[in-house]
Amino acid sequence: MSLALPRPHRDDLRIAVGGLLGGVLLWGLGIHPRLASDSLVLWHAPWAPLVPLAVTAACEPLRRVRPRAGLLAGTAALTLDTVTLGSIVTVVLYTDLVYAAVLYGTPASARRIPWITGMLTAVGGIVPAALWRDPQGLLIGVGVGVVALAPAATGALVRNHRDAAEAARLRAEQTALLAEVDRTQAVTAERARMARELHDMVANHLSAIAIHSTAALSLDDPKTSQEALAVIRENSVEGLAEMRRLIGILRDGTGDRNPAASPTLDGLGALVGRARSGGLDVTLHAGHGKVPAPVELAAYRIVQESLTNALKHAAKGRVHVSLRQRDGRLDISVTSTHRPGDGPRAPGSGSGLTGMRERAALLGGTFEAGPRGAVWAVRATLPLTEGDPA
């Protein structure tokens, strides 16, 4: 199984070729940083500078894919270059390898290389000056700093800016993602609220219309038909008024008409009256005082939906509606007769209980509904202060 090596970057290949050609050109023109009489020149062959030049140029394609290996090989080539006549291009290419090792290397390399080059710069200046007792020995440290420390520090600075920019980009993406999630949740919540409002506003009136229209069609009694038609008309008008209110809310009051006021607990008497006209025997006990508007609307809708369900499902018998305010909460109770097996007198989707439970949960309250012997009971508790929504 062959090991696939990463392909070098195209720009790195260009740097390698350009550096090699430039070094060969300077060598051909006889331009070298050292003279043949220099005591440091140990390898006097005319072609000797080309060897470290070729090695350093060959390390350039590794500056992104294998930056540490390229730097190590380049360091060996630069050391070899110091014992020849030398090449300026070899030194320049080496500074690029140091810069690339810090910029593209591992985080550990990016931390260590500036420290190592800094130590070499200090040692390279202090030790020769101390041994030779000549301040000019500090120039060696300056040379090491220019060749090694300066590109390492530049690479660290560029890397820090690049990492900061990447972190800022990631934060921006996360912020955009969170904003999209919030928007989606807001749209979902608004759709659920609209569904609850539509169901509570329309289902009650349409259920009464369906039941009374069935009665009017099945009974050949002009008086009964007249009463049924009156109830149908009343519920139609009420349903249209509720629908106009919702449309006004959706239009945010920009239409010609302002939306009608939300129903309040003061309207429970009229609500019970319509239920009685629909054939229910309803008793109402409203022992409550002033309650916040959100609680008032939720309580009204829960009672309205409970009466609608009683109209569709309850057996003959009395329906009890009770509201009691105590200990910072509003207790709602609606009970009706219940006989398992009785079919509904009007079709339903079953979303009414879900809507009531959601209304209670949004206010931090509790809700339960179900049979208790021969009675179907709806119980809700709504806090009068802001609670923790479920």
Side-chain angles (χ1 to χ4, degrees):
M1 181 176 179
S2 60
L3 179 62
L5 295 177
R7 297 183 60 182
H9 196 275
R10 185 180 303 173
D11 292 339
D12 299 339
L13 294 175
R14 293 194 182 103
I15 294 174
V17 173
L20 182 61
L21 294 178
V24 171
L25 177 62
L26 293 180
W27 173 81
L29 295 175
I31 301 175
H32 303 287
R34 287 178 290 276
L35 299 176
S37 59
D38 197 326
S39 60
L40 294 177
V41 178
L42 302 178
W43 192 2
H44 295 277
W47 49 268
L50 296 179
V51 176
L53 172 66
V55 173
T56 309
C59 292
E60 282 294 331
L62 303 177
R63 64 192 299 273
R64 297 176 199 257
V65 295
R66 292 288 187 270
R68 188 165 60 179
L71 178 61
L72 292 176
T75 301
L78 182 66
T79 303
L80 179 62
D81 182 76
T82 59
V83 299
T84 68
L85 294 176
S87 172
I88 295 296
V89 177
T90 301
V91 177
V92 173
L93 291 177
Y94 179 77
T95 60
D96 182 65
L97 292 176
V98 176
Y99 169 82
V102 176
L103 181 60
Y104 301 113
T106 63
S109 298
R111 290 191 303 267
R112 294 170 183 169
I113 292 176
W115 284 101
I116 294 174
T117 55
M119 292 176 59
L120 291 177
T121 300
V123 172
I126 295 174
V127 172
L131 292 177
W132 300 341
R133 299 182 183 277
D134 188 351
Q136 289 189 352
L138 296 174
L139 295 177
I140 297 177
V142 174
V144 174
V146 171
V147 174
L149 179 59
T154 304
L157 183 63
V158 174
R159 181 174 183 134
N160 289 337
H161 282 289
R162 184 194 65 182
D163 293 344
E166 180 66 15
R169 185 187 66 82
L170 291 176
R171 284 196 299 269
E173 290 181 355
Q174 292 175 354
T175 301
L177 180 61
L178 290 176
E180 179 64 20
V181 171
D182 290 342
R183 187 193 69 82
T184 303
Q185 292 177 346
V187 171
T188 302
E190 184 64 16
R191 287 168 64 93
R193 187 184 71 86
M194 291 173 58
R196 285 193 303 270
E197 289 292 328
L198 271 175
H199 180 274
D200 293 344
M201 282 192 281
V202 177
N204 178 59
H205 302 294
L206 291 184
S207 297
I209 291 172
I211 292 173
H212 285 81
S213 61
T214 301
L217 292 173
S218 60
L219 298 177
D220 190 12
D221 184 358
K223 182 178 179 181
T224 303
S225 299
Q226 189 72 18
E227 294 175 352
L229 290 175
V231 174
I232 290 173
R233 182 185 183 281
E234 179 183 358
N235 281 276
S236 300
V237 172
E238 291 289 338
L240 289 173
E242 294 276 17
M243 187 65 71
R244 282 195 296 270
R245 187 183 75 85
L246 179 60
I247 293 175
I249 292 174
L250 294 177
R251 289 179 175 175
D252 197 22
T254 56
D256 295 335
R257 296 182 179 182
N258 293 325
S262 299
T264 64
L265 294 180
D266 294 335
L268 288 180
L271 183 64
V272 170
R274 289 195 296 271
R276 287 171 180 162
S277 65
L280 291 179
D281 182 9
V282 186
T283 60
L284 172 64
H285 176 71
H288 63 85
K290 184 68 175 178
V291 299
V295 177
E296 194 168 23
L297 177 60
Y300 181 93
R301 293 304 188 194
I302 290 174
V303 173
Q304 181 185 44
E305 181 60 27
S306 299
L307 292 178
T308 300
N309 289 340
L311 183 65
K312 293 191 293 185
H313 302 283
K316 289 185 178 181
R318 179 161 293 183
V319 179
H320 297 276
V321 179
S322 173
L323 286 85
R324 185 168 57 175
Q325 182 177 340
R326 60 177 182 176
D327 299 334
R329 68 177 188 269
L330 180 65
D331 295 331
I332 306 168
S333 173
V334 182
T335 59
S336 58
T337 54
H338 171 70
R339 281 201 304 268
D342 288 348
R345 286 175 283 176
S349 63
S351 59
L353 293 178
T354 302
M356 289 190 285
R357 184 173 291 105
E358 289 176 350
R359 287 186 182 277
L362 287 173
L363 296 174
T366 60
F367 174 84
E368 59 179 5
R372 294 186 177 181
V375 173
W376 180 275
V378 174
R379 299 272 195 269
T381 300
L382 305 179
L384 300 182
T385 57
E386 185 177 357
D388 294 329

